[in-house]
Amino acid sequence: MLHVLALPTSPEAPQAPARVVLGAYLRGLREMKGETLRDAARVVRRSESALSRWERAESSIPPYACGELLHHYGVSRPHTDYLIRSLPQQHYVRDKSQERGLARRVPFDNWTDVAGAEAMARYIAVMRMADEIIEYGPQVPAGLRTQAYREAVLDPVVCLREDEPVLGVPRWVHHMPWAPGQQRTVLLDETVLRRPVGGRQVMAHQLRHLAALMRSDASGPGLLDIRILPMSRTLFVHTVSWPAEVILHGHRLVTSFGGAPAYETGSGAARRVSAGLREALSCAHGREKTYELITRAADAMERQLTS
């Protein structure tokens, strides 16, 4: 549940989201290349602790080191230049700027990653590496899908967002595991129960899978918490494309997904998304009611198959 999300332990001001996402990207590239922190440290002639701080966005990475590491990992020069341009200056501190506008942002609070397939891979990496997640969406999210449902929602003809590795997404992210012990709260729009994605048989199997997850030892507060959000009232989360809040290496980011992944930290807009997710959780059905609704929907799908 969202209220179990701990506040970041760092007393520092929120880091720019581009720094946090870049850190996850560097870590993902390194691990998928099979290298240790020591291996990467040799590339830029810095200490292992420096590499660890860059990957965890605890300190800013010098542009030359960022360029050398990305080149070492096989990232193209234009893409490397794009990432370096997206970062704030090395000594940037959010608290030295004044919040402005209705969104109460300062420079670098918001970053929309428009780098195509690499942006998709980074988004997947952020979600898989996160220690804690709360998310809302109109379909079953990545990591909780049956194979048949996954194929249906990621069909290029109907795919709304590539939130799992598919053909065309860089290879480095394909075998990235979900963080062990990840705490995840999933708020599903109640229309999921009535929309037969992939057909009634596929959807019935998917709903049974969700019910099994809810009854497994891996489910429960602090691990995986699935809730159905009724459509009886319009909430803030309904106005945002796939809103989520993640805690990654102690940094709290809110994410959304329109035409491209977007990340935000620190701003009034970020706080509003966080509050909107908490509001949605307070309006969602409890665990037992959610389980009842999911199993009842699966029963209905199966009856329709035989009628």
Side-chain angles (χ1 to χ4, degrees):
M1 297 183 292
L2 185 62
H3 62 257
V4 306
L5 294 177
L7 289 171
T9 57
S10 172
E12 300 175 0
Q15 280 281 13
R19 279 183 179 170
V20 180
V21 177
L22 174 64
Y25 186 47
L26 291 173
R27 175 185 160 192
L29 288 168
R30 175 179 61 77
E31 291 181 346
M32 293 306 105
K33 194 176 175 68
E35 293 188 349
T36 64
L37 283 170
R38 177 176 295 181
D39 295 329
R42 290 195 188 104
V43 174
V44 290
R45 301 164 298 283
R46 296 292 290 268
S47 67
E48 292 178 51
S49 61
L51 265 292
S52 178
R53 288 195 299 273
W54 295 341
E55 290 185 358
R56 298 176 65 84
E58 293 172 351
S59 63
S60 59
I61 180 171
Y64 84 86
C66 182
E68 288 185 7
L69 281 173
L70 292 174
H71 175 73
H72 173 69
Y73 296 140
V75 178
S76 69
R77 180 60 181 271
H79 191 65
T80 296
D81 291 344
Y82 163 73
L83 287 172
I84 292 174
R85 288 196 306 270
S86 300
L87 297 172
Q89 299 83 358
Q90 264 199 276
H91 302 293
Y92 170 82
V93 177
R94 185 184 187 278
D95 286 352
K96 293 183 179 179
S97 301
Q98 182 177 359
E99 292 183 347
R100 297 184 182 279
L102 294 176
R104 299 193 63 80
R105 290 186 179 123
V106 305
F108 302 105
D109 274 352
N110 174 269
W111 183 48
T112 300
D113 192 355
V114 294
E118 287 288 345
M120 297 303 312
R122 282 192 285 270
Y123 176 82
I124 293 167
V126 165
M127 298 301 282
R128 292 192 175 191
M129 288 183 186
D131 300 305
E132 303 173 33
I133 301 175
I134 176 171
E135 59 190 314
Y136 163 77
Q139 66 185 31
V140 179
L144 308 182
R145 297 167 178 162
T146 63
Q147 181 63 32
Y149 184 89
R150 178 180 184 273
E151 291 172 358
V153 297
L154 296 180
D155 184 332
V157 177
V158 298
C159 184
L160 298 177
R161 64 170 186 166
E162 296 172 347
D163 57 357
E164 287 193 84
V166 294
L167 186 65
V169 172
R171 288 186 302 171
W172 67 267
V173 79
H174 277 252
H175 302 291
M176 176 173 289
W178 290 83
Q182 183 184 84
Q183 298 177 10
R184 189 176 187 186
T185 299
V186 177
L187 300 171
L188 290 176
D189 191 286
E190 71 173 348
T191 58
V192 170
L193 304 176
R194 300 191 295 270
R195 195 167 56 246
V197 175
R200 289 186 174 84
Q201 185 171 4
V202 169
M203 195 66 218
H205 187 205
Q206 174 62 66
L207 292 169
R208 296 290 184 205
H209 179 63
L210 289 179
L213 288 174
M214 293 186 71
R215 288 305 192 207
S216 73
D217 291 338
S219 183
L223 292 170
L224 173 64
D225 196 6
I226 301 171
R227 303 293 186 92
I228 295 296
L229 181 63
M231 291 288 290
S232 55
R233 54 183 289 199
T234 300
L235 302 174
F236 179 79
V237 293
H238 297 138
T239 69
V240 185
S241 298
W242 277 283
E245 180 179 76
V246 305
I247 295 181
L248 176 63
H249 298 148
H251 305 286
R252 186 182 299 266
L253 300 90
V254 297
T255 72
S256 60
F257 201 106
Y263 309 90
E264 189 136 3
T265 58
S267 68
R271 295 190 291 272
R272 183 67 186 92
V273 173
S274 294
L277 287 164
R278 287 170 171 77
E279 174 191 47
L281 181 57
S282 70
C283 295
H285 292 297
R287 286 177 50 79
E288 292 304 319
K289 180 65 174 180
T290 291
Y291 180 83
E292 177 188 336
L293 290 170
I294 289 173
T295 53
R296 188 188 303 166
D299 291 341
M301 292 278 180
E302 290 167 349
R303 284 197 300 271
Q304 290 166 6
L305 280 170
T306 58
S307 62

